[in-house]
Amino acid sequence: MQEPAILDSHLHLVDRRRLDYPWLSGAPLLDRDWLLETYAEEARRIGIGGAIHMEVDVADARIEDETTWVEELAASGTFPIRGAIAACRPESGDFPAFLERSAARDLVVGFRRVLHVVPDAVSQGALFRQNIRLLAGPDLPFDLCVLARQLPLAIDLVDSAPDTRFVLDHCGVPDIEGGQWDIWARDLAEIAKRPNVSAKISGVVAYGGAGWSLDELTRWVTYTAETFGPERICWGGDWPVNTLGGGLSTWVAATRAIFAGWSADERAALYAGNAARIWKL
């Protein structure tokens, strides 16, 4: 039986000629261009039929330029880009005006501020939380990108904005290689109690170390999926970060194996249906 086509909810693209990426100098294994043509060639071969672009933490002054670039890529017809999750700075007083401009762009379907690259206090600030609450107006979700140790901070942020929808990236970034299960599992279960939070089954091959096995990965992925339930999870590739753990094809193959026992409807929801609903595609 043919597997359902995948809608990749987490695609990063990098073009250093077009945009500025200050963090790349500290990530030598990723410090190169990662272009749509390269992704598309592999994606088509493994059953990925479309993608949502995820912001790549460009320099602050280039955030809206990144969205413009992704709009151009989507219009090019190279590969179906169904939406863009744009970078944002909710700690800024300019956020309301930025939100108004961004929400008017058809391709923008959500926002993210990477929280593990800034002090923990940033997401606890009154202005940050006030601005996150504004996302409830246009009903655009906010992706939570936090380390496992920061899950309590994510819970606090969610509780401060009960009318905003959130998506937890990368299963909450568990330390799979280090086997740090107990606290992560407890905190993941706690954030999953919030009905306005969904979770991405995305990119965890990058956290398993060079010698990860399918059996090992299955434990963490299955726990996340069962904790949130089949209606509140979606699949994400996290290319090119997933190249640190085997790459896109390896991650797709692992996911197909892990969820082989799920029903056809549940797999269809995981691979595409839930993402289309979450981001209103």
Side-chain angles (χ1 to χ4, degrees):
M1 183 177 65
Q2 186 175 0
E3 286 292 321
I6 292 173
L7 171 59
D8 185 349
S9 69
H10 206 99
L11 165 64
H12 299 296
L13 297 171
V14 173
D15 187 342
R16 296 167 302 171
R17 298 164 299 177
R18 181 70 182 258
L19 297 166
D20 304 313
Y21 308 86
W23 63 274
L24 271 179
S25 60
L29 294 177
L30 297 173
D31 191 8
R32 46 165 283 200
D33 292 337
W34 300 91
L35 303 178
L36 182 59
E37 294 82 0
T38 306
Y39 170 84
E41 182 178 14
E42 184 175 7
R44 289 192 184 99
R45 292 172 176 170
I46 56 178
I48 297 175
I52 300 172
H53 182 267
M54 170 57 75
E55 62 91 17
V56 196
D57 203 20
V58 299
D60 287 4
R62 307 303 304 279
I63 286 175
E64 292 181 78
D65 293 335
E66 181 181 46
T67 302
T68 298
W69 175 55
V70 176
E71 288 172 337
E72 293 171 7
L73 291 174
S76 74
T78 303
F79 188 80
I81 296 179
R82 302 280 305 281
I85 297 170
C88 67
R89 297 293 181 263
E91 65 269 31
S92 168
D94 295 332
F95 182 84
F98 164 83
L99 175 59
E100 184 175 1
R101 291 193 304 273
S102 299
R105 304 176 81 152
D106 290 341
L107 198 66
V108 172
V109 295
F111 295 94
R112 184 174 79 158
R113 170 54 154 146
V114 180
L115 295 177
H116 61 75
V117 300
V118 295
D120 288 353
V122 169
S123 69
Q124 309 296 290
L127 179 60
F128 190 103
R129 294 181 170 198
Q130 174 183 319
N131 283 332
I132 290 296
R133 286 193 288 271
L134 293 179
L135 295 177
D139 193 23
L140 294 169
F142 182 79
D143 270 58
L144 293 162
C145 191
V146 296
L147 301 177
R149 68 163 185 84
Q150 295 174 307
L151 280 169
L153 299 176
I155 293 167
D156 286 346
L157 179 60
V158 170
D159 287 345
S160 76
D163 295 324
T164 298
R165 293 188 295 125
F166 295 87
V167 182
L168 180 67
D169 289 352
H170 313 322
C171 301
V173 191
D175 181 5
I176 297 174
E177 184 177 16
Q180 300 299 308
W181 173 272
D182 291 343
I183 295 175
W184 167 81
R186 178 199 69 194
D187 292 341
L188 193 84
E190 183 61 34
I191 197 169
K193 293 177 183 177
R194 279 72 182 165
N196 57 327
V197 182
S198 301
K200 278 186 187 175
I201 307 296
S202 55
V204 293
V205 289
Y207 313 134
W212 67 265
S213 68
L214 181 62
D215 285 346
E216 180 183 27
L217 208 66
T218 296
R219 180 189 186 203
W220 305 79
V221 170
T222 300
Y223 180 81
T224 303
E226 292 179 347
T227 299
F228 278 87
E231 300 84 16
R232 286 197 293 148
I233 55 172
C234 60
W235 189 88
D238 198 22
W239 189 83
V241 181
N242 61 31
T243 61
L244 302 177
L248 186 65
S249 296
T250 296
W251 173 223
V252 168
T255 313
R256 298 286 200 195
I258 291 168
F259 290 97
W262 282 37
S263 72
D265 286 346
E266 289 171 334
R267 296 198 309 275
L270 165 66
Y271 291 129
N274 289 343
R277 173 176 49 80
I278 290 168
W279 287 284
K280 298 181 179 179
L281 304 181

